[in-house]
Amino acid sequence: MTRFVVVPQWQGSPAPRAMLLVDGADAIAGDLPRASCVRVDVPLEAGEALDTGVLRLSALQRIRGIVAEQLGSEPDGTVVVGGDCAVALPAIARAVSRHPSLAVVWCDAHGDLHTPDTSPSGAFSGMALRAVLGDGEPSLALSGIDQDRVVMVGARDLDDAEEEYAQSAGIRRLFPEDLADPDALADAVSATGADAVYVHIDLDVLDPAVMNGVNMPAPFGAQVGELVAAIGRLRERMPLAGSSISGFAPPSPAAAIDDLGAILRLVGALA
């Protein structure tokens, strides 16, 4: 049975309504098997930047340690439910420690490729994928993930600095329309030479017509059925070392209900 670690972290988000991510994580958890879930107690205080370019860094460092400790006792295939995108980092660190040739699939409308020097907001969620690649704030950056083993899916709203980095680094990218071919994702990951894969999904990768409860929607996103099919084909060809889903920020409990059907389809694909 798949295990779920629920991390209602909001401190990495740039959104004015960032704390709605707490409600979103709890809403998803409410529809998961209770016996399979563990909820991490995330401190609600904002934390301090500690003279760095990362807002709320002290809280992010503390939460990362708590999540890493919890994941140490969880099996491969555990799904982390956030919260903001930064919840993926301790899970990816754990996965690469077990699978040194790990590939990372990052499904997100945004690049998340900033560093503290280029970020317009200072929010770590916008730096999360860059930190996966070992850059940025040293206390949060990972090691062991090569840019050649990263596949960005659905990214269509990048700042100039992010676009420049993605192109110069040669990061593999699939756009929403590419998912019409259900084998496109599996082919892209296979081309990395990896022997296992981690999949992260920020729900804003989906088109706003099918996912309302996100803080930073971007038009012309992925369709639920196509993303589910792509993940299914990927799992047929490569072991899933772990996964995460983040970015659910419903404005009310009633609004959450409208989106949970789509979210649970994605959770089912990961589980």
Side-chain angles (χ1 to χ4, degrees), residues 207-218:
D207 192 86
V210 296
M211 180 57 53
N212 293 312
V214 295
N215 279 325
M216 299 176 66

Side-chain angles (χ1 to χ4, degrees), residues 80-147:
V80 175
V81 177
D84 63 69
C85 282
V87 301
L89 267 74
I92 293 173
R94 176 181 177 276
V96 77
S97 71
R98 297 186 175 191
H99 305 276
S101 297
L102 184 77
V104 173
V105 171
W106 196 267
C107 305
D108 198 313
H110 308 94
D112 297 349
L113 289 171
H114 279 294
T115 67
D117 292 331
T118 66
S119 172
S121 69
F124 184 66
S125 183
M127 311 178 203
L129 182 55
R130 192 68 176 268
V132 169
L133 293 166
D135 295 330
E137 167 54 38
S139 67
L140 297 177
L142 305 187
S143 61
I145 302 290
D146 189 273
Q147 61 199 29

Side-chain angles (χ1 to χ4, degrees), residues 111 114 118 120 157-164:
H114 279 294
T118 66
D157 187 12
L158 277 65
D159 293 332
D160 290 345
E162 295 178 297
E163 190 68 56
E164 181 179 346

Side-chain angles (χ1 to χ4, degrees), residues 166-186:
Q167 292 188 20
S168 65
I171 295 176
R172 289 177 173 85
R173 294 174 67 176
L174 294 179
F175 295 94
E177 58 268 25
D178 295 323
L179 297 176
D181 176 1
D183 288 309
L185 177 57

Side-chain angles (χ1 to χ4, degrees), residues 1 36 39 43 48 61 66 96-97 102-103 123 145 166-167 173 178 196 222 237 242 245 270:
M1 180 180 294
S36 300
R39 187 185 191 277
E48 303 293 335
Q61 291 171 331
I66 295 169
V96 77
S97 71
L102 184 77
I145 302 290
Q167 292 188 20
R173 294 174 67 176
D178 295 323
R237 292 168 59 176
I245 190 163
L270 298 174

